[in-house]
């Protein structure tokens, strides 16, 4: 049954999924733990799970050029929402998946969403997955998001993931795991912003099991005020494979970041690299932009926007 969305819901959907009204094709819109509206397409079917809250998304073999939306919005306080979403991507597909969670909380109580997403990507398929997390409302409110992402890539499958936390999330613990078969490729870009006394932790584990599999991880974050962040990505190479991890962070105020990238070669033919950089914005960058007419605050924001783009 169709449910009308409030202006707050509509603003959250626009922010996290770029939606203005209901999309075409396959989609599942969830609000405050309940289904708002759902639609299937000729090639993508969405079903409610029988045993736990969540959905199964099934993409037929050879599906190409389709996008499926599964965003979640919350405005109810004192609520913990958990959802389990499983994606079954057939062979030789090329599809986009748009997820994300937006929480609006004006109270002194907490709102929490834990999204557990698991992907089974068939042989020769390509998927692009976008996930945006965003919180808004009172500075005294607690907004918690703890996403879990598990990816299983079949032979010669390709997966690109862009996972962002924009602002307003009080605390988050992110768990990302993947295993790759022969010829599979995974590209992950994680962008994180924290401020005030917010806390963020991101743990990643990637198992390169097949010959010629590869993973590229780019983590970029900004820690402002008294916020704290911890990044712990691990790449394990178990075959002739390639892996690269890059963690870059900018500190503003008393922000703190701990970055612990790790690589493990379980095969003599694995080629693995990692690097990390943490620091403040260089003063000369600010000065250069000020000479172009920007204020110090505008110059700083310009640099941060470019860094996180």
């Amino acid at each position: 049954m169709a449910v009308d969305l409030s202006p707050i819901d509509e603003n959250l959907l626009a922010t996290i999924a770029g939606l203005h009204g209901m999309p075409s094709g396959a989609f599942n819109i969830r609000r405050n733990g309940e289904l708002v509206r759902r639609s299937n397409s000729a090639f993508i079917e969405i079903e409610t799970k029988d045993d736990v809250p969540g959905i199964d998304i099934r993409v037929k073999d050879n599906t190409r050029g389709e996008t499926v939306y599964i965003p979640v919005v919350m405005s109810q306080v004192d609520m913990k929402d958990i959802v389990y979403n499983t994606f079954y991507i057939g062979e030789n597909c090329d599809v986009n998946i748009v997820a994300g969670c937006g929480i609006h909380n004006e109270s002194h109580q907490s709102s929490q969403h834990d999204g557990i997403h698991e992907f089974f990507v068939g042989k020769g398929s390509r998927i692009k997955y976008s996930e945006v997390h965003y919180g808004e409302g009172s500075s005294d409110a607690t907004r918690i998001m703890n996403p879990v992402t598990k990816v299983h890539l079949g032979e010669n499958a390709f997966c690109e993931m862009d996972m962002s936390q924009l602002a307003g999330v009080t605390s988050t613990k992110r768990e990302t795991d993947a295993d790759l078969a022969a010829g599979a490729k995974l590209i992950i870009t994680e962008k994180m912003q924290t401020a005030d006394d917010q806390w963020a932790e991101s743990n990643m584990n990637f198992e390169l099991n097949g010959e010629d599999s590869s993973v590229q991880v780019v983590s970029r974050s900004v820690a402002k005020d008294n916020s704290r962040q911890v990044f712990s990505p691990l790449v394990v190479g178990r075959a002739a494979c390639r892996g690269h991890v890059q963690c870059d962070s900018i500190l503003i105020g008393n922000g703190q970041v701990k970055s612990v990238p790790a690589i493990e070669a379980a095969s003599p033919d694995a080629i693995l690299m990692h690097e990390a950089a943490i620091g403040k914005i260089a003063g000369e960058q600010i000065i250069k932009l000020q000479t172009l007419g920007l204020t110090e605050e505008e110059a700083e924001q310009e640099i941060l926007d470019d860094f996180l783009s």
Side-chain angles (χ1 to χ4, degrees):
M1 180 177 66
V3 176
D4 291 333
L5 296 171
S6 71
I8 288 176
D9 298 328
E10 292 175 348
N11 178 69
L12 290 174
L13 285 173
T15 301
I16 66 173
L19 290 178
H20 302 274
M22 293 296 115
S24 59
F27 65 87
N28 189 93
I29 309 295
R30 181 180 174 93
R31 177 183 63 180
N32 295 332
E34 297 182 349
L35 175 66
V36 173
R37 200 172 302 176
R38 175 185 298 166
S39 176
N40 295 328
S41 72
F43 303 99
I44 301 177
E45 183 176 344
I46 304 174
E47 301 174 328
T48 301
K49 288 183 178 292
D50 296 327
D51 52 347
V52 293
I55 54 178
D56 291 328
I57 303 95
R58 302 182 185 276
V59 180
K60 295 181 180 180
D61 291 347
N62 303 306
T63 299
R64 295 179 174 273
E66 291 210 25
T67 298
V68 56
Y69 292 87
I70 59 161
V72 172
V73 295
M74 291 179 64
S75 55
Q76 181 176 328
V77 301
D78 195 22
M79 178 182 184
K80 181 177 180 180
D81 180 37
I82 303 176
V83 61
Y84 299 81
N85 296 333
T86 307
F87 299 80
Y88 300 94
I89 312 297
E91 296 186 356
N92 301 311
C93 297
D94 191 345
V95 296
N96 296 326
I97 301 167
V98 180
C101 176
I103 296 179
H104 181 95
N105 187 344
E106 294 284 0
S107 78
H108 297 285
Q109 297 175 301
S110 65
S111 300
Q112 179 172 341
H113 174 75
D114 297 345
I116 294 89
H117 292 176
E118 187 164 16
F119 300 81
F120 296 88
V121 184
K123 182 177 180 180
S125 285
R126 300 174 63 90
I127 67 169
K128 183 173 183 179
Y129 175 75
S130 301
E131 176 189 271
V132 174
H133 286 174
Y134 169 71
E136 64 179 24
S138 169
S139 59
D140 296 329
T142 300
R143 292 170 287 268
I144 304 169
M145 300 187 195
N146 296 320
V148 176
T149 306
K150 300 179 181 180
V151 183
H152 313 281
L153 292 182
E155 289 185 14
N156 298 314
F158 174 85
C159 176
E160 180 180 356
M161 293 190 151
D162 191 344
M163 300 186 290
S164 303
Q165 179 172 302
L166 299 181
V169 180
T170 308
S171 72
T172 184
K173 184 175 182 181
R174 309 176 64 91
E175 302 287 345
T176 307
D177 300 301
D179 55 80
L180 285 71
K185 183 175 184 179
L186 174 63
I187 299 176
I188 289 188
T189 302
E190 183 181 62
K191 303 171 186 176
M192 185 84 65
Q193 295 188 63
T194 56
D196 303 319
D197 295 312
Q198 295 167 2
W199 162 262
E201 179 179 347
S202 177
N203 302 306
M204 298 180 174
N205 184 73
F206 305 105
E207 302 276 342
L208 302 178
N209 297 322
E211 300 286 322
D212 199 34
S213 58
S214 65
V215 62
Q216 178 181 330
V217 182
V218 177
S219 174
R220 293 186 175 178
S221 72
V222 176
K224 299 180 179 181
D225 306 320
N226 295 310
S227 65
R228 295 170 295 151
Q229 303 176 3
V230 177
F231 296 91
S232 300
L234 168 65
V235 175
V236 181
R238 303 191 183 280
C241 59
R242 299 177 304 281
H244 181 248
V245 179
Q246 178 181 337
C247 300
D248 296 324
S249 300
I250 289 179
L251 305 178
I252 298 176
N254 296 315
Q256 299 179 31
V257 174
K258 180 179 180 181
S259 186
V260 193
I263 51 179
E264 178 182 333
S267 166
D269 297 317
I271 302 174
L272 310 174
M273 296 175 286
H274 71 73
E275 54 185 307
I278 302 173
K280 294 186 176 183
I281 297 175
E284 58 268 21
Q285 291 178 289
I286 297 287
I287 295 172
K288 182 177 181 180
L289 289 175
Q290 285 181 297
T291 62
L292 299 176
L294 275 66
T295 66
E296 182 176 352
E297 292 76 14
E298 291 171 337
E300 181 180 276
Q301 190 59 51
E302 183 74 19
I303 293 169
L304 295 182
D305 290 345
D306 182 65
F307 176 71
L308 292 171
S309 65

